[in-house]
Amino acid sequence: MAEPKNYITSLDLKSHSKAGDLWISIQGKVYDVSDWAKDHPGGALPFLPKSHEPRRHRPFVAYHPVIAWQYLDKFFNGFYLKDYSVSRRPKIT
Ligand code: HEM
């Protein structure tokens, strides 16, 4: 049977939102980029100060080539975001 997932809330995520203690979430998974943010090819700025917001996965998807996804696993810290949900599709008329 699959292991139960470890969930944290957005509030927990927010408590790790400064240089040296920096978690971000992309599509419901939580990544610890504390030590790596300064080496990010896009600079440390995109992570601060709002990188804890769940919606930040949008810039990730928009700014990165497909190859960037393979680096994510390295930073996965085992947590999932409890209140993550896929936003509703806009109604296009
Ligand atoms: C663990 C999470 C992340 C990883 C592993 C990652 C990885 C990368 C990599 C590999 C590149 C270079 C892409 C290339 O050579 O074309 C890059 C560029 C960039 N990243 Fe990230 N990134 C992460 C999170 C983010 C987030 C949250 C943002 C938020 C906005 C962001 C914004 C950017 C920007 C603006 C660039 C520069 C794009 C360009 O110059 O074309 N990244 N990132």
Side-chain angles (χ1 to χ4, degrees), residues 19-37:
D21 180 14
L22 195 51
W23 294 6
I24 60 169
S25 96
I26 297 169
Q27 297 190 340
K29 285 175 82 171
V30 179
Y31 302 92
D32 182 345
V33 293
S34 305
D35 297 327
W36 180 74

Side-chain angles (χ1 to χ4, degrees), residues 24-26 31-33 36 40-43 46-47 51 56-57 59-60 63-65 67-72 75:
I24 60 169
S25 96
I26 297 169
Y31 302 92
D32 182 345
V33 293
W36 180 74
H40 174 231
F47 296 122
S51 50
R56 296 299 277 190
H57 69 266
F60 183 85
Y63 287 129
H64 298 87
I67 199 170
W69 286 93
Q70 78 189 38
Y71 299 116
L72 282 183
F75 302 109

